[in-house]
Amino acid sequence: MKKKVGIITMHKVPNFGSALQAYALQHKVDELGYDAELIDYHYPNKYHCAKQGLAYFPQRSTFRLFILNVIARLMLIAHVNKNRAKCEERIERYELQKNYRRFYRRYFKLSRFYDSIESICNNPPDYSIYMTGSDQVWNPRFVANDPVFFLDFAGVDKPRLSYAASMSNRKIDKEFEDLYKAYLQKYAAISVREKSTAEIVSRMTDRGVNVVCDPSLLLNKGEWLRICPKKPLVKESYLLLYIQSYSYDPYPHIVSFTKELAEKLGLKVVVLMGLRDGYSIDGAITFETAGPFEFLQLFRDARFVVTTSFHGTAFALNFGKDFYSVVKEINGDDCRIADFLRQCSAEHHLLEIDSLDHIENLPQANTAESEVQKLQEFRGQSLDFLREALRQ
């Protein structure tokens, strides 16, 4: 009988990278001969929202979301202009969630649902092996002191592993160090996603820490394309723009830069998830409600990529695209993109946001075969770690 492996990660955040990395790790653990399951822990829940000063919205049923969507559409048909903007927002949110749920239903294997720290600690799922997966699961800014992402609910006799966990930053506040140290001492094997995170964890635990690739990179381009819908979403040659702005604010520079670069390259602009209100690119095609499938399609068919996203960077390199990754500071606190590109000797794709006014002095954006080979080697080393860690 196959050993069961429970993976805790941020799998249902409506973010392409979160969904795709969760699937990839589950898939690879299965391929290695185990029965992997994603622990269906709701993030962000009341605890995280309170820590971050955010409003908490409990997970709603699919049926309830469908009914709210129908009501919003009927109100638009009836020309109830008073609530038009709210109705349009609700419809858009429903379409977005529908596209994500389509991916979840097809590819996620889930445990029972846990909506709080108390619910999982009081009735924990039972596995042979427990694993903290990837994404920013150890970033104090997002999870604070949540013990769940450190597998504190697991039985004392059960092995704990981590694969490509991230703190995202180059340093951690003193207030978290003692608690994190106590949690991490219980792990049988630790791997992290960034060199900077490895340095922090090694200092706290006084042990060696492996740096491995993001789970989404455990799958090569061919493996991703096997689950990617074949039909292209855009027939023209295009530059794909994918902006994430929770780490820093790239506006307005990113928009003017993309316009100028697309014109120079003779490419149409496709915007994944849209631009901030008040910004536009003439003639651009926008995908406001794309899910993981659409993400894969758009990256597969892009001629060029401009992104501020870690996973946008990862997929651009993995798919062999020419691209620029725009960061606040190459040696700044958020080191996820820079650390990854350095690992693959691909730093020339990095641009600082304040340098975008000088388009005539841009470094080369082509993805060389040597970079793809470096990524392949990194993937092999990471799979070796995962294989050996699961055997402990």
Side-chain angles (χ1 to χ4, degrees), residues 206-222:
D206 196 26
R207 60 194 284 191
V209 177
N210 292 75
V211 176
V212 295
C213 68
D214 183 85
S216 67
L217 296 166
L218 291 174
L219 277 64
N220 61 33
K221 179 181 177 180

Side-chain angles (χ1 to χ4, degrees), residues 131-142:
M131 182 183 295
T132 296
S134 192
D135 224 340
Q136 298 186 60
V137 289
W138 291 345
N139 185 342
R141 175 184 167 194
F142 297 131

Side-chain angles (χ1 to χ4, degrees), residues 100-117:
Y100 273 90
R101 286 171 186 265
R102 185 161 57 101
F103 184 83
Y104 300 156
R105 284 195 304 270
R106 186 158 183 181
Y107 288 114
F108 280 4
K109 292 187 296 178
L110 298 172
S111 73
R112 60 166 290 183
F113 178 65
Y114 297 97
D115 66 354
S116 66
I117 296 172

Side-chain angles (χ1 to χ4, degrees), residues 241-309:
L241 174 62
Y242 175 39
I243 300 172
Q244 286 282 3
S245 54
Y246 61 82
S247 235
Y248 76 100
D249 185 357
Y251 289 90
H253 307 290
I254 193 77
V255 177
S256 56
F257 171 74
T258 300
K259 288 178 183 178
E260 191 173 351
L261 182 60
E263 185 176 344
K264 179 181 177 181
L265 297 172
L267 298 175
K268 193 171 193 66
V269 176
V270 171
V271 185
L272 183 53
M273 297 310 293
L275 299 173
R276 181 184 294 172
D277 287 348
Y279 294 92
S280 64
I281 297 176
D282 290 343
I285 300 172
T286 300
F287 289 84
E288 295 272 7
T289 60
F293 289 119
E294 291 80 11
F295 175 95
L296 292 173
Q297 288 169 279
L298 291 172
F299 269 84
R300 177 195 63 194
D301 299 330
R303 283 278 303 278
F304 199 101
V305 175
V306 173
T307 186
T308 64
S309 156

Side-chain angles (χ1 to χ4, degrees), residues 14 16 26 50 68 78 99 106 145 157 201-202 216 237 305 329 336 385:
F16 306 118
Q26 173 196 278
L68 291 171
N99 284 332
R106 186 158 183 181
N145 295 329
D157 59 332
V201 174
S202 182
S216 67
S237 295
V305 175
E329 297 174 306
R336 294 170 299 149
F385 168 84

Side-chain angles (χ1 to χ4, degrees), residues 125-184:
D126 185 33
Y127 301 102
S128 301
I129 302 168
Y130 293 81
M131 182 183 295
T132 296
S134 192
D135 224 340
Q136 298 186 60
V137 289
W138 291 345
N139 185 342
R141 175 184 167 194
F142 297 131
V143 302
N145 295 329
D146 185 351
V148 175
F149 288 106
F150 291 90
L151 301 171
D152 201 48
F153 58 88
V156 293
D157 59 332
K158 296 295 180 71
R160 297 167 169 85
L161 318 171
S162 75
Y163 182 85
S166 174
M167 291 181 183
S168 174
N169 299 305
R170 297 188 187 279
K171 56 187 176 183
I172 183 172
D173 291 343
K174 189 69 177 174
E175 65 175 295
F176 296 106
E177 282 208 16
D178 289 341
L179 191 60
Y180 275 33
K181 182 176 180 179
Y183 288 143
L184 292 169

